[in-house]
Amino acid sequence: MTLLEVVGVSKSFAPGTSAVDAVSLTLERGEVLCLLGPSGCGKTTLLRIISGLERADAGQVRFDGRDMAGVPPHERSFGMMFQDFALFPHKNVRDNVAFGLRMRRLPAAEIDARVAEMLAAVDLDGFGGREIGQLSGGEQQRVALARALAPGPQLLMLDEPLGALDRALRERLMLDVRVILKRVGMTAIYVTHDQAEAFAVSDRMAVMNAGRIEQLDRPEAVHAQPATPFVARFLGFENLLPARVAAAGEVETAVGRFRPAGEPLPFGATGLLLIKPVLAGIEAAGAADKGAINQVAGVVEAVTFRGRFSQLWLAAGGERLLFEEQDSLPFAPGDRVRVTVGAEQLQMFVDGS
C-alpha cells in the first residue's frame, strides 16, 4: 500500500539553479527507500521538503492520502535521525530514549515500557542506566535510532546516519540498521552518498544527480543495469568508452569490437559502451594481437591486491581500463595481455535515448 507520494516537487535556492527538479516518487508501507547521490545532488533538500522543514516551490507531498501542504513538521508524525546523533550528553541512555515520550506527557509506566521495548529492538537491553560518554560510536548510533523510533513515527527519515563513523564500524552497522527497521516494521527514507550503504539498507534506491532522479529501482537491478552513464560512474564502473554501432550489430570502440547481449542495436547509433570489470578470461598476448569480438588486447599498467579480489589496469587504444578478478593475477606492469569479457557484461548507452 502506497504511504507517501511525492509529485513533481521542485525547489530552488538561487535563480537559474534547481536543488530539486520535478522529482516524483512513491513509498510503500514498510519499505526502506535510499536516496543516493553525491554531495549537492538534492537528496537532503528533498528529505527536508518531505519532513516539512523546507517548502517546495512546486509540486505536492501526500502522506497516507493527505496533502502535507501547510502541515507543520511537528504534526506530520515523522521521525528524524541525523549524522551527529544529537544525543544529550548529560542524560543517560534511558532518558535519551524517553525524551520524545516525555515531551508528549505520557504516563511514566507507559514511557518505561516503551523505552524497554525500543532498547530491546536495537539490542541494547541493560544499557538504560549507562551514560552516553560510556558508549561506543556504534552503541550511540543505536541509542539515537531507539530515540527516533520510540514515539512511533509513521515515517522515519535518516540523513547520513552512519556518516560520522569510521569505515569498519559503518560496515558492521549497515546491516544492523536494516534488520532493526524491518524488525519494527518501519517505513523509512535513508539518505546517503555511500553506495555500499544504499545496497545494504534499501528495498529500493533512487540515484540522484543535479536535483533529479536518474534511476529508481531495486538495488540489484540498478547494479545490473544502470540507466545512465552517470549512474554507472557513480556505482564505480570505470570503463565507459565512446562507441558506434557498425554492421551486424557490432559496437566499435578505440579498444576493439564488441557485441552486447540482447537485441541488436540500430546501425549507426552512437553513445557510450560500458564494459563491466568482470573478467571472462585473461591470457598473455603477442605484440601484434588485436583481439577478437568481446576481447581487448593491451599492456598491463598495474596489478593491485584489494583483499577479496585483485584489480588490473590495462592500457589499450589510448584508453585505461579496469578489470577485477577474485584470484591473484600472474601478470606485472609491461606485460601484454588479451582480456575477454562476457556479452552480458556489456551495455550500450545510446545518445538521445
Side-chain angles (χ1 to χ4, degrees):
M1 177 182 175
T2 299
L3 188 62
L4 175 73
E5 297 176 271
V6 176
V7 184
V9 164
S10 296
K11 177 70 177 180
S12 295
F13 293 105
T17 61
S18 294
V20 177
D21 188 3
V23 166
S24 296
L25 59 83
T26 61
L27 183 63
E28 302 299 307
R29 191 178 299 275
E31 184 180 31
V32 180
L33 173 69
C34 277
L35 302 180
L36 173 68
S39 297
C41 72
K43 54 190 186 293
T44 293
T45 300
L46 178 59
L47 195 74
R48 289 175 61 83
I49 290 171
I50 294 170
S51 71
L53 296 174
E54 293 283 356
R55 179 176 294 180
D57 297 333
Q60 190 177 48
V61 175
R62 292 195 292 266
F63 187 79
D64 204 15
R66 179 188 179 190
D67 187 349
M68 290 287 101
V71 179
H74 66 276
E75 293 182 8
R76 297 194 180 198
S77 298
F78 299 166
M80 292 287 292
M81 180 176 168
F82 301 99
Q83 177 175 324
D84 61 4
F85 304 156
L87 297 173
F88 301 114
H90 61 287
K91 296 179 182 289
N92 63 19
V93 169
R94 183 183 299 107
D95 288 341
N96 266 276
V97 177
F99 178 77
L101 302 172
R102 287 179 176 149
M103 293 293 289
R104 293 185 175 187
R105 302 183 184 279
L106 298 177
E110 185 176 338
I111 291 174
D112 289 344
R114 183 64 174 170
V115 169
E117 180 186 355
M118 288 299 97
L119 289 179
V122 299
D123 298 321
L124 287 179
D125 278 317
F127 279 67
R130 296 197 188 184
E131 300 301 319
I132 297 301
Q134 296 176 309
L135 304 180
S136 68
E139 289 165 348
Q140 290 184 28
Q141 182 264 349
R142 287 167 181 266
V143 173
L145 184 54
R147 186 180 63 181
L149 292 171
Q154 295 186 67
L155 173 66
L156 180 63
M157 291 176 284
L158 305 98
D159 192 1
E160 301 276 6
L162 306 182
L165 305 176
D166 62 64
R167 165 56 66 180
L169 186 54
R170 285 209 308 273
E171 290 282 352
R172 292 201 300 272
L173 291 177
M174 288 173 196
L175 182 58
D176 290 347
V177 169
R178 177 173 173 81
V179 168
I180 292 166
L181 292 175
K182 290 300 181 181
R183 182 183 294 162
V184 299
M186 181 55 58
T187 307
I189 301 176
Y190 189 110
V191 165
T192 181
H193 66 276
D194 187 309
Q195 58 163 301
E197 253 180 84
F199 286 135
V201 172
S202 66
D203 295 308
R204 287 188 302 149
M205 55 196 291
V207 184
M208 294 189 67
N209 176 36
R212 289 180 171 269
I213 292 176
E214 299 241 345
Q215 187 169 4
L216 174 57
D217 210 332
R218 294 172 295 107
E220 55 269 32
V222 173
H223 189 271
Q225 197 79 12
T228 66
F230 172 84
V231 175
R233 290 190 181 98
F234 191 77
L235 295 183
F237 293 123
E238 299 277 350
N239 307 331
L240 282 158
L241 308 175
R244 177 182 178 276
V245 181
E250 292 179 6
V251 177
E252 294 181 338
T253 73
V255 305
R257 295 170 296 148
F258 300 88
R259 187 176 293 117
E263 294 295 320
L265 296 162
F267 174 76
T270 60
L272 293 174
L273 179 69
L274 168 62
I275 305 175
K276 294 183 180 178
V278 181
L279 285 170
I282 183 170
E283 58 187 352
D289 196 329
K290 299 295 184 183
I293 295 293
N294 293 357
Q295 291 186 342
V296 181
V299 177
V300 175
E301 283 194 342
V303 179
T304 58
F305 178 64
R306 302 298 299 272
R308 288 173 292 180
F309 59 94
S310 295
Q311 288 185 330
L312 180 142
W313 290 94
L314 184 70
E319 301 284 351
R320 192 168 184 256
L321 307 179
L322 173 65
F323 295 98
E324 297 175 353
E325 177 61 63
Q326 288 187 336
D327 299 322
S328 61
L329 292 166
F331 299 102
D335 290 346
R336 291 196 61 85
V337 299
R338 181 171 58 247
V339 166
T340 302
V341 295
E344 70 281 359
Q345 304 298 334
L346 302 167
Q347 183 181 342
M348 181 79 170
F349 298 103
V350 175
D351 290 339
S353 62

